Every structure is written in C-alpha cells, then in structure tokens.
Amino acid sequence: MMSRLVILSANSLKGSGPFGAGLVHASRSLHTSSQSRAPVPPLPETGGKVRHGIFPEEIFQLLYPKTGVTGPYMLGTGLITYLLSKELYVINNETLSAICIFSVIIYGVKKFGPSVAAFADKLNEEKLAKAQEVKDLAMSGLTQAIENEKKEQWRVEGRAMLFDAKRNNVAMLLETNYRERLHMVTNEIKRRLDYQIALQHLNRRLEQEHMINWVEKSVIGSITPQQEKESIAKCIADLKMLAKNTQAKATV
Amino acid sequence: MTMNLFNQFLSPTFLGLPLIAIALMAPCLLYPSPAPWWQSNRWTTLQNWFIGSFIKQILSPINTKGHSWALLLATLMVFLITLNTLGLLPYTFTPTTQLSLNMAFAVPLWLAIVIMGFRNSPTHALGHLLPEGTPTPLVPILIIIESISLLIRPLALGVRLTANLTAGHLLIQLVSSAAFSLLLSQTTAASLAVSLLLLLTILEIAVAMIQAYVFVLLLSLYLQENV
C-alpha cells in the first residue's frame, strides 16, 4: 500500500551512511524499470511548460488554430459559468475555505518558490561538484604522473653523463694518488742517496784532516832544533833587510 | 447544522462502495519515484534531502540497534504529513481524523516497542517505571502512576492526532460557514470572519505538519527508552 512511500524513503536513505545499509535491496525487488542502464536516452532539462501554474501549454497550442489566443480562457470562463449557473457546483462555506487555502498556497509558492528551487539546484550542484572534483583530482594526478615520467626519462639520458663524470673523477683520483706515491718514493730515495753522499763527504773530510794532521805532525817532528835556529836567524836577517828597504823607500 | 458539520468525517463511499482504500493509497501517487539516473530532478532532490535530514535528526539520540526503525519512521512521517496537509484542501477526506486509523498506528508500534524493551532488557525497562531520586514514601504511588502513564501512551498518541485534526477541520467548517452566512447581510463581520479563516488556515497547515512530526517524535522517544 505504501510501497511507493517505502520505495522513496528507502531510496533517499540508501545513500545516507549507517542507516541505509540494509535498505538497498528493497528498491530493486519491485522490477519497476526495464533494468537496462545503457544507453540512457537524453533527459529534458526542464519540466513541461505550464501557464498559470497548472494548465499545460499543450492545451493552448491545441486550441490556437481554431480559437486563437483567447480560446482556452473563453473555455475556462464558460465552463465555470456553466457549473455555477446550473448549480452543478454549489457555492457554500467550503468555497470560502477553498479560497483561503488556495490563496495561502499560491502566496507560499510565489514567495518561497524561487528560493526552494535554488536550494534544490544547489544540492544538485554540490553533488555534481563533488564528482567533478574527484574527476579533476584524478586528471591532475595523472598529468602530474605524466610529467614525473617525462622527468625521469630526461634523468635517464643524463645518467650516462653522470657516469662519465664519475668515471673521470675516479680516474683523476687514481692518477693523483699514483703521482703522490711516486713523489713520495722519489723523495725517500733522494733522502737515502743524500745520506750516503753526506756519509762519503764526511769520510773524505775525516781522511783529509787526518792526513793533514799526520803530515803536519811529521813535518813539525822532522824540524830539528838546528834547522829551527837557522830558519829563525834567516827570518831575522830578512826582516832587517826589509826594514832597511822600507826605511830607504820612505826617506826617498 | 451539527449533522452537516460532522459529515466531512464520514468514511467516504460512492454508491455504496467504500472509497477509504483510495483515500489512503492515492496520496502516495503524488510523490515522484526515484529515477535510475544519477542526478535527479528538483522534486526528488528535495524529498531526498527532506527525508535524509529528518531521519538524521530523529535517529541521532537513538543507539545503533534502533536504527533499523529508520525506514518505518520515515515512511510514517511522510504518510502522516501527506494525509494531514492534503486534508486541508476543500472537499477532501482526511483519514487521520478517524480514531481507528490513528489507534491502528499507535497501538501496534507502541506495543512493539514496549515488548521489545521488556524482552531485551527487562530490568532496564522496568526501571523506567521509577524516576531517579524519588523519596522513599512516594515510591509505591509513583510506580502505579508511571505504569498508568506507560499504558496510556498509545491512547494519547492516537487521540492527540485525531483530536487536533478533527478540531482543526471543525473550526474551519464553523468559521467558513459563519463567514458565508454573514457574507451578504453583514459584510464587515463577514470580512472579519474571513480574516479569521485565513489565520486559521495558516494555523491548520502548521498543525498538520507539527502533529505528524510529534507522532513520529514521540514514537522515537519511546524507542530510545526501550532499545
């Protein structure tokens, strides 16, 4: 009996979190649609056009060829007059209450209609925006992934250069190390050879000094006292002669 | 005159055929059934929003076990509010003015809730019969009073809805017939009566919606106590 109400309640509660979990099956069991989802025919954007809120535009179009623009209005007026004059519709107290309730309803619809419609549109827009956001995020994520991939490919190209540079670095290090060691070896050898040279110089100097000392000692030893006296006397005679010469040169 | 006033509450028949079934089933046809496509039209969006927010609000104080009542409460609310508001149109029959219908809603639902409460946690359900912090001499009397108030709940639920709607409809009939009879002779008094009728109509629209809400709210309160 209230199956339609139950269906619509179930459908609206379906999407709302913990309440709706068990209600999904109820709506599919009634087989009210033809069960095929694709291709969905395009839906009309707005509802059927109406004039004065209730009368469909089709009636006006229907009567236009025969009766022109005022046709349906004449029909309406005639119908109402007929009902009232023949007392098919009796004006009683209910008419007054009908006037009241309809004026309240029309006032409510005119005043709050656009805002309620805007609210419903806003709800739909939010739903659409959420889905659009998901789609946009997915697309931006994918474009970002493409860019990252391209960057990685560019990086791969540069990898060979990187390896060359590294190889060069290593070769340079090895070369430097080799040169260093060579230098060190040269220095060590030079040091040792210098030592040997110094040693030889020392040896030669020692021998020389020793020889000189020995020669001096033997010469000094070989000078007899007689020879010493003779040499001293000679030296004094030379000195006297020298003195005489210089004195002579000085006076001249 | 009294006969005429209460004629609106007679169960409708046409040539001897009862029309009550149509009166109960027809209002449901006004609601758009949910469409298989993703974004629905304004009507469906609005009714989805209404039912969703109503259920969120009414089930928030109830624990998770009671959430299985969501469908029942939502359906009841939509049904009652439709019947009440459609009954305000002229020459319509409001099924919720019949005590039988309202009791048929109140008694089974209340009884189900009470039996569920007594079956699942009997001590907790019996504990509701004595409020906390009552002085000891008052305890026996208070238990009797609380059990009477428990037993009178379905009656109160049904009669509240019936009485509110019946009284509203009767008032509308009275004031409109007064205005109608005064319309030609004393026009100023009639205009006063018409303005009263306008205010009354606005009140009745509000009462129709509020009474449906109160019915479902009280049921949810009883559910909250017992689940």
Side-chain angles (χ1 to χ4, degrees), chain A residues 104-122:
Chain A
V104 169
I105 288 174
I106 290 170
Y107 172 75
V109 166
K110 279 219 166 359
K111 184 147 179 192
F112 301 111
S115 57
V116 169
F119 177 69
D121 284 338
K122 189 168 75 90

Side-chain angles (χ1 to χ4, degrees), chain B:
Chain B
M1 205 55 209
T2 326
M3 261 289 280
N4 258 344
L5 279 175
F6 283 97
N7 270 349
Q8 59 179 321
F9 301 127
L10 288 177
S11 190
T13 56
F14 181 68
L15 299 175
L17 295 167
L19 296 175
I20 185 69
I22 305 178
L24 284 171
M25 286 195 269
C28 314
L29 296 171
L30 290 172
Y31 287 96
S33 29
W37 35 82
W38 177 63
Q39 193 166 53
S40 35
N41 57 355
R42 284 175 182 168
W43 271 117
T44 318
T45 314
L46 279 173
Q47 90 188 4
N48 282 350
W49 166 82
F50 172 71
I51 293 176
S53 55
F54 168 73
I55 280 293
K56 266 196 200 103
Q57 194 222 344
I58 217 171
L59 283 182
S60 53
I62 304 178
N63 61 0
T64 326
K65 221 155 67 92
H67 287 170
S68 51
W69 284 70
L71 189 57
L72 185 71
L73 292 176
T75 320
L76 193 61
M77 171 68 176
V78 171
F79 187 58
L80 287 177
I81 210 173
T82 319
L83 289 180
N84 288 352
T85 43
L86 280 179
L88 290 167
L89 297 172
Y91 302 105
T92 48
F93 170 68
T94 322
T96 35
T97 52
Q98 310 296 309
L99 188 65
S100 49
L101 181 83
N102 296 337
M103 293 305 280
F105 273 132
V107 174
L109 291 174
W110 164 83
L111 195 62
I113 291 170
V114 165
I115 288 178
M116 197 172 71
F118 270 103
R119 194 164 155 250
N120 291 343
S121 49
T123 36
H124 190 71
L126 278 171
H128 278 302
L129 291 179
L130 186 65
E132 265 185 55
T134 54
T136 333
L138 284 175
V139 165
I141 314 169
L142 210 58
I143 294 183
I144 296 177
I145 292 176
E146 286 288 330
S147 28
I148 292 177
S149 95
L150 175 74
L151 292 170
I152 228 165
R153 274 176 185 174
L155 201 66
L157 272 176
V159 172
R160 178 188 301 109
L161 190 56
T162 315
N164 267 299
L165 264 81
T166 316
H169 282 252
L170 267 176
L171 261 177
I172 286 182
Q173 286 282 58
L174 275 169
V175 175
S176 63
S177 50
F180 183 65
S181 53
L182 287 170
L183 201 58
L184 294 170
S185 50
Q186 288 126 319
T187 323
T188 38
S191 60
L192 274 174
V194 166
S195 56
L196 181 66
L197 188 61
L198 261 174
L199 293 171
L200 193 63
T201 313
I202 296 170
L203 176 71
E204 278 312 305
I205 295 174
V207 163
M209 296 197 259
I210 289 168
Q211 284 306 316
Y213 176 64
V214 160
F215 194 93
V216 178
L217 183 71
L218 281 170
L219 274 176
S220 77
L221 278 170
Y222 303 153
L223 186 67
Q224 186 189 346
E225 280 182 0
N226 281 303
V227 84

